[in-house]
Amino acid sequence: MDTLLSSISKCDVCAQKLELGPRPIISANTRSKIVIIGQAPGSVVHKSGIPWDDKSGQNLRAWMGIDNDTFYNSEITALIPMGFCYPGKGKSGDLPPTKECAPLWHQKLLSNMKDVELILLIGTYAQQYYLGNKLKRTLTESVKNYKEYLPNYFVLPHPSPRNNIWQAKNEWFKKEVIPELQNSIKSIITKRN
Protein backbone atom coordinates (compact mmCIF):
# COMPACT_ATOMS: atom_id res chain seq x y z
CA MET A 1 0.00 0.00 0.00
CA ASP A 2 2.84 2.42 0.79
CA THR A 3 4.27 1.97 -2.71
CA LEU A 4 0.84 2.55 -4.25
CA LEU A 5 0.21 5.70 -2.17
CA SER A 6 3.65 6.96 -3.12
CA SER A 7 2.86 6.43 -6.83
CA ILE A 8 -0.44 8.27 -6.44
CA SER A 9 1.26 11.20 -4.69
CA LYS A 10 3.49 11.63 -7.77
CA CYS A 11 0.69 11.24 -10.33
CA ASP A 12 0.52 14.02 -12.91
CA VAL A 13 -1.69 12.36 -15.55
CA CYS A 14 -4.15 15.28 -15.47
CA ALA A 15 -1.61 18.08 -14.97
CA GLN A 16 -2.66 19.93 -18.14
CA LYS A 17 -6.29 20.11 -16.96
CA LEU A 18 -5.69 21.29 -13.41
CA GLU A 19 -5.98 24.99 -12.66
CA LEU A 20 -3.62 24.82 -9.67
CA GLY A 21 -1.57 21.85 -10.84
CA PRO A 22 -1.52 18.30 -9.46
CA ARG A 23 -1.70 17.67 -5.73
CA PRO A 24 -3.32 14.25 -5.16
CA ILE A 25 -5.06 14.18 -1.79
CA ILE A 26 -6.14 10.82 -0.38
CA SER A 27 -5.75 8.73 2.76
CA ALA A 28 -5.93 4.93 2.88
CA ASN A 29 -4.62 1.97 4.84
CA THR A 30 -4.68 -1.78 4.28
CA ARG A 31 -6.77 -2.02 7.48
CA SER A 32 -9.36 0.68 6.58
CA LYS A 33 -12.88 -0.42 7.54
CA ILE A 34 -14.90 2.42 6.00
CA VAL A 35 -14.14 3.93 2.59
CA ILE A 36 -15.42 7.42 1.86
CA ILE A 37 -15.60 8.11 -1.85
CA GLY A 38 -16.39 11.75 -2.51
CA GLN A 39 -16.07 14.13 -5.41
CA ALA A 40 -12.69 15.93 -5.47
CA PRO A 41 -10.76 18.21 -3.14
CA GLY A 42 -11.91 21.83 -3.07
CA SER A 43 -9.56 24.80 -3.08
CA VAL A 44 -9.34 24.87 0.76
CA VAL A 45 -8.30 21.20 0.82
CA HIS A 46 -5.87 21.77 -2.06
CA LYS A 47 -4.12 24.40 0.07
CA SER A 48 -4.07 22.38 3.32
CA GLY A 49 -3.41 18.96 1.76
CA ILE A 50 -5.82 17.42 4.30
CA PRO A 51 -8.86 15.55 2.88
CA TRP A 52 -12.25 16.97 3.83
CA ASP A 53 -10.58 19.86 5.73
CA ASP A 54 -13.46 22.26 5.07
CA LYS A 55 -17.14 22.93 5.88
CA SER A 56 -18.21 19.89 3.84
CA GLY A 57 -15.90 17.73 5.96
CA GLN A 58 -17.32 19.17 9.17
CA ASN A 59 -20.82 18.35 7.97
CA LEU A 60 -19.80 14.84 6.90
CA ARG A 61 -18.22 14.10 10.30
CA ALA A 62 -21.40 15.36 12.00
CA TRP A 63 -23.53 13.12 9.75
CA MET A 64 -21.30 10.14 10.59
CA GLY A 65 -21.32 10.98 14.31
CA ILE A 66 -17.52 10.81 14.63
CA ASP A 67 -14.77 13.17 15.71
CA ASN A 68 -11.73 14.34 13.74
CA ASP A 69 -9.40 11.76 15.31
CA THR A 70 -11.65 8.88 14.22
CA PHE A 71 -12.28 10.38 10.79
CA TYR A 72 -8.58 10.88 10.08
CA ASN A 73 -7.50 7.49 11.46
CA SER A 74 -6.75 5.64 8.20
CA GLU A 75 -7.14 2.29 9.98
CA ILE A 76 -10.81 3.23 10.35
CA THR A 77 -11.53 5.44 7.33
CA ALA A 78 -10.02 5.67 3.87
CA LEU A 79 -10.66 8.98 2.14
CA ILE A 80 -10.63 8.41 -1.61
CA PRO A 81 -12.17 11.01 -3.94
CA MET A 82 -13.27 10.36 -7.52
CA GLY A 83 -10.70 12.94 -8.61
CA PHE A 84 -7.63 13.18 -6.39
CA CYS A 85 -6.75 16.80 -7.25
CA TYR A 86 -8.62 20.09 -7.15
CA PRO A 87 -10.24 20.36 -10.61
CA GLY A 88 -10.61 24.16 -10.66
CA LYS A 89 -13.48 26.62 -10.49
CA GLY A 90 -16.56 26.33 -12.70
CA LYS A 91 -19.52 28.66 -13.28
CA SER A 92 -21.49 27.40 -10.28
CA GLY A 93 -18.89 25.87 -7.97
CA ASP A 94 -15.96 23.56 -8.58
CA LEU A 95 -15.52 21.74 -11.87
CA PRO A 96 -16.37 18.01 -11.95
CA PRO A 97 -13.65 15.61 -10.78
CA THR A 98 -11.25 14.53 -13.50
CA LYS A 99 -12.24 11.22 -15.04
CA GLU A 100 -8.79 9.62 -15.02
CA CYS A 101 -8.29 8.93 -11.29
CA ALA A 102 -11.01 6.41 -10.52
CA PRO A 103 -10.24 3.97 -13.38
CA LEU A 104 -6.51 4.39 -12.86
CA TRP A 105 -6.30 4.01 -9.08
CA HIS A 106 -9.52 2.98 -7.29
CA GLN A 107 -9.40 -0.76 -7.93
CA LYS A 108 -5.74 -0.91 -6.99
CA LEU A 109 -6.50 0.86 -3.71
CA LEU A 110 -9.60 -1.19 -2.87
CA SER A 111 -7.89 -4.50 -3.66
CA ASN A 112 -5.29 -3.65 -0.98
CA MET A 113 -7.99 -3.10 1.66
CA LYS A 114 -9.28 -6.48 2.80
CA ASP A 115 -11.19 -5.27 5.90
CA VAL A 116 -13.62 -2.83 4.25
CA GLU A 117 -17.12 -3.18 5.70
CA LEU A 118 -18.83 -0.14 4.19
CA ILE A 119 -18.27 2.30 1.33
CA LEU A 120 -19.90 5.72 1.54
CA LEU A 121 -20.71 7.01 -1.95
CA ILE A 122 -21.02 10.76 -1.60
CA GLY A 123 -22.66 12.65 -4.43
CA THR A 124 -23.63 11.84 -7.97
CA TYR A 125 -20.17 11.23 -9.44
CA ALA A 126 -19.27 8.45 -6.99
CA GLN A 127 -22.74 6.93 -7.19
CA GLN A 128 -22.79 6.86 -10.99
CA TYR A 129 -19.34 5.28 -11.14
CA TYR A 130 -20.01 2.54 -8.59
CA LEU A 131 -23.73 1.88 -9.01
CA GLY A 132 -24.38 2.67 -12.66
CA ASN A 133 -27.84 1.57 -13.75
CA LYS A 134 -28.80 0.59 -10.18
CA LEU A 135 -29.21 4.29 -9.38
CA LYS A 136 -32.64 5.84 -9.23
CA ARG A 137 -33.74 8.65 -11.53
CA THR A 138 -32.50 11.37 -9.15
CA LEU A 139 -29.98 11.64 -6.33
CA THR A 140 -32.88 12.32 -3.95
CA GLU A 141 -34.56 9.04 -4.91
CA SER A 142 -31.28 7.13 -4.57
CA VAL A 143 -30.63 8.56 -1.10
CA LYS A 144 -34.23 7.92 -0.05
CA ASN A 145 -33.80 4.28 -1.10
CA TYR A 146 -30.34 3.92 0.46
CA LYS A 147 -31.23 0.53 1.99
CA GLU A 148 -31.26 -1.02 -1.50
CA TYR A 149 -27.50 -0.44 -1.76
CA LEU A 150 -26.60 -1.84 1.65
CA PRO A 151 -24.67 -3.67 3.04
CA ASN A 152 -21.83 -2.66 0.67
CA TYR A 153 -22.69 0.95 -0.14
CA PHE A 154 -24.30 3.82 1.73
CA VAL A 155 -25.39 6.59 -0.66
CA LEU A 156 -25.37 10.20 0.53
CA PRO A 157 -25.75 13.66 -0.96
CA HIS A 158 -22.71 15.90 -0.90
CA PRO A 159 -22.37 17.49 2.58
CA SER A 160 -21.57 20.91 1.12
CA PRO A 161 -23.28 23.86 2.83
CA ARG A 162 -24.72 24.53 -0.66
CA ASN A 163 -26.96 21.52 -0.04
CA ASN A 164 -28.64 23.02 3.04
CA ILE A 165 -31.65 23.91 0.86
CA TRP A 166 -31.90 20.28 -0.28
CA GLN A 167 -31.77 19.13 3.35
CA ALA A 168 -34.48 21.61 4.35
CA LYS A 169 -36.73 20.27 1.57
CA ASN A 170 -36.00 16.65 2.50
CA GLU A 171 -36.41 16.49 6.27
CA TRP A 172 -36.57 12.67 6.13
CA PHE A 173 -32.82 12.73 5.46
CA LYS A 174 -31.93 13.93 8.97
CA LYS A 175 -34.73 11.95 10.62
CA GLU A 176 -34.22 8.59 8.91
CA VAL A 177 -30.97 8.38 6.96
CA ILE A 178 -28.52 10.08 9.35
CA PRO A 179 -29.45 7.90 12.36
CA GLU A 180 -29.02 4.76 10.20
CA LEU A 181 -25.66 6.03 8.96
CA GLN A 182 -24.49 6.76 12.51
CA ASN A 183 -25.62 3.33 13.71
CA SER A 184 -23.74 1.64 10.86
CA ILE A 185 -20.57 3.63 11.54
CA LYS A 186 -20.77 3.06 15.31
CA SER A 187 -21.27 -0.67 14.79
CA ILE A 188 -18.15 -0.91 12.58
CA ILE A 189 -16.00 1.18 14.92
CA THR A 190 -17.18 -0.65 18.04
CA LYS A 191 -16.49 -4.04 16.44
CA ARG A 192 -12.96 -2.86 15.61
CA ASN A 193 -12.04 -2.01 19.22
Side-chain angles (χ1 to χ4, degrees):
M1 180 66 97
D2 290 343
T3 304
L4 179 57
L5 292 172
S6 177
S7 297
I8 290 169
S9 73
K10 296 173 192 149
C11 182
D12 63 357
V13 169
C14 307
Q16 301 297 330
K17 297 180 180 183
L18 301 170
E19 186 179 300
L20 301 179
R23 186 175 191 190
I25 299 172
I26 71 160
S27 173
N29 188 299
T30 55
R31 294 181 294 275
S32 299
K33 307 283 186 266
I34 301 162
V35 178
I36 299 170
I37 300 179
Q39 190 165 308
S43 59
V44 170
V45 170
H46 178 85
K47 286 178 190 139
S48 74
I50 301 168
W52 293 97
D53 183 29
D54 54 13
K55 292 278 185 200
S56 295
Q58 290 172 14
N59 290 341
L60 178 58
R61 289 185 284 281
W63 288 358
M64 294 172 71
I66 60 175
D67 60 20
N68 286 1
D69 289 341
T70 304
F71 186 79
Y72 288 111
N73 179 343
S74 64
E75 290 188 13
I76 298 172
T77 56
L79 308 171
I80 304 173
M82 290 299 295
F84 294 166
C85 300
Y86 172 60
K89 208 58 161 159
K91 289 180 184 175
S92 59
D94 292 341
L95 291 170
T98 55
K99 294 183 177 175
E100 291 82 356
C101 294
L104 189 60
W105 299 112
H106 278 208
Q107 192 50 50
K108 292 174 187 170
L109 285 161
L110 292 171
S111 67
N112 274 284
M113 294 185 270
K114 306 295 184 202
D115 299 331
V116 173
E117 294 185 40
L118 184 64
I119 298 175
L120 307 187
L121 297 176
I122 298 176
T124 304
Y125 297 107
Q127 291 163 18
Q128 285 174 341
Y129 187 82
Y130 279 91
L131 301 175
N133 62 7
K134 292 179 184 152
L135 278 176
K136 304 297 178 197
R137 199 172 47 82
T138 65
L139 178 128
T140 300
E141 287 177 41
S142 294
V143 173
K144 201 168 208 171
N145 292 285
Y146 70 95
K147 289 183 182 178
E148 290 182 26
Y149 308 108
L150 292 170
N152 297 326
Y153 300 109
F154 205 116
V155 297
L156 295 167
H158 197 282
S160 166
R162 290 174 178 254
N163 283 343
N164 287 343
I165 294 168
W166 180 90
Q167 288 184 64
K169 286 181 184 173
N170 297 285
E171 292 182 8
W172 51 266
F173 177 70
K174 277 193 174 164
K175 290 179 185 169
E176 300 166 31
V177 180
I178 294 300
E180 282 289 328
L181 174 65
Q182 291 181 356
N183 286 339
S184 297
I185 300 295
K186 186 177 181 181
S187 166
I188 293 166
I189 292 170
T190 305
K191 197 187 317 177
R192 177 186 168 272
N193 293 333

